[in-house]
Amino acid sequence: MLRVMVLVSGGGTNLQAIIDAVASGTITNTELVAVLSNNKTVKSLERARNAGIPAISVSPKDFESRAEFNEALLAKVDEYQPDLVVLAGFLVAIPEAMVHKYNGRIINIHPSLIPSFCGVGYYGLKVHEKALERGVKVTGATVHFVNEGMDEGPIVAQKAVAVEDDDTPEILQRRVMEQAEWILLPQAIDDIANGRIAVVDGKVKRLK
């Protein structure tokens, strides 16, 4: 049974997709052991509590330095002994010590087709604003393993989504979530839980 801990910063729509997929059996061999947010008041923690999952908060605002926060975050993650950490809209940089300790065991969902519209400053609605400004006809989402770089880890899966002429950033964001993010992230967790994928020589290999 894969022990999964989900880290979130906002409303938790990707978290809800994961919770629903576990409940429906779309994700198998998986236990959601905790949901952690850097924001104490977000709806994602309510979603976790409603599903009977421990909901916890570790906020940088509660510490005098980022180093103290990083230490506390890693300690809280360690407390739940996850086999996999899922970043489902977690807008805080993962401490390097955590990346090293959980090497090959942290995945992230990003709302673009990496390497487009990713890296420092590209998060949330900003990604879709930039995509529309650039005039791309196709965007999408990417699930990738996390390494020391920003959105630079080995790619697990991608799914393309069409951009429509009358899209606003909000409309495009919703379409990318519905047609890509909510599909890709549960599938990636299920693949990892059932040993279908692994990182080999810095790339994701499908084993089954």
Side-chain angles (χ1 to χ4, degrees):
M1 187 73 74
L2 188 76
R3 294 174 56 83
V4 172
M5 186 171 186
V6 184
L7 275 55
V8 292
S9 291
T13 54
N14 274 307
L15 168 64
Q16 191 64 55
I18 295 168
I19 291 172
D20 293 345
V22 170
S24 68
T26 303
I27 298 176
T28 59
N29 296 327
T30 296
E31 177 187 4
L32 299 177
V33 296
V35 171
L36 182 149
S37 178
N38 60 299
N39 188 330
K40 299 174 183 178
T41 61
V42 290
K43 187 175 181 179
S44 51
L45 295 179
E46 179 184 335
R47 293 179 189 272
R49 286 190 287 266
N50 289 341
I53 304 165
I56 52 182
S57 174
V58 180
S59 172
K61 297 177 182 179
D62 295 335
F63 300 89
E64 293 185 1
S65 69
R66 181 49 67 100
E68 288 181 57
F69 164 75
N70 287 345
E71 186 177 330
L73 176 63
L74 180 54
K76 185 59 68 173
V77 171
D78 286 346
E79 188 177 316
Y80 288 89
Q81 299 181 315
D83 301 310
L84 180 70
V85 176
V86 177
L87 309 182
F90 192 60
L91 302 182
V92 177
I94 299 301
E96 189 171 319
M98 181 172 163
V99 172
H100 291 161
K101 186 168 187 177
Y102 288 87
N103 182 41
R105 293 191 288 152
I106 307 175
I107 61 172
N108 178 55
I109 181 80
H110 184 76
S112 77
L113 297 175
I114 291 174
S116 297
F117 310 110
C118 67
V120 177
Y122 285 93
Y123 61 89
L125 202 60
K126 293 180 183 294
V127 176
H128 307 291
E129 290 172 349
K130 293 298 184 182
L132 291 176
E133 286 176 14
R134 187 65 181 86
V136 298
K137 305 306 179 186
V138 177
T139 185
T142 303
V143 176
H144 64 92
F145 282 98
V146 173
N147 62 9
E148 294 85 352
M150 183 70 72
D151 299 327
E152 294 179 1
I155 290 174
V156 176
Q158 294 182 302
K159 194 173 191 301
V161 175
V163 178
E164 305 294 345
D165 291 341
D166 58 351
D167 275 344
T168 64
E170 292 81 6
I171 290 173
L172 182 58
Q173 181 183 52
R174 183 71 184 188
R175 187 183 307 115
V176 169
M177 287 192 295
E178 291 177 346
Q179 296 184 10
E181 294 181 47
W182 299 347
I183 297 169
L184 286 180
L185 195 51
Q187 183 61 64
I189 295 169
D190 188 62
D191 283 344
I192 293 169
N194 290 282
R196 298 190 195 100
I197 61 173
V199 179
V200 180
D201 295 330
K203 295 183 179 180
V204 175
K205 300 291 185 181
R206 186 160 290 275
L207 305 178
K208 298 180 181 178

